[in-house]
Amino acid sequence: MRLMSNEILIESYFKALHLELEQEFVDLLLEEIKRRKLNLDYYRDGAQVS
C-alpha cells in the first residue's frame, strides 16, 4: 500500500465506494488515507485528482 501514490489511493477509495466493493477493502484504503493524513473532504468536494 505504501508504494501507491496519494492520487491513486484517493481515486481507488472513491471508486471502491462507487462500486460498492467489500467493506474490508474500503476500510483498508481508508486506514491508509488516515495514516497519510490526507484530507478526503478536499477531494470529495470536487477537486480533481490528476
Side-chain angles (χ1 to χ4, degrees), residues 6-49:
N6 291 345
E7 291 82 12
I8 297 296
L9 178 60
I10 296 291
E11 286 178 11
S12 299
Y13 174 73
F14 284 118
K15 190 71 163 183
L17 289 176
H18 177 75
L19 295 174
E20 299 179 358
L21 298 183
E22 291 186 30
Q23 189 62 46
E24 185 176 343
F25 179 68
V26 174
D27 290 343
L28 182 66
L29 295 172
L30 187 57
E31 181 180 313
E32 181 64 16
I33 289 168
K34 288 179 180 181
R35 188 189 70 74
R36 296 185 191 191
K37 296 180 173 76
L38 300 176
N39 184 354
L40 275 179
D41 291 331
Y42 175 77
Y43 297 102
R44 186 178 291 125
D45 293 337
Q48 290 291 322
V49 178

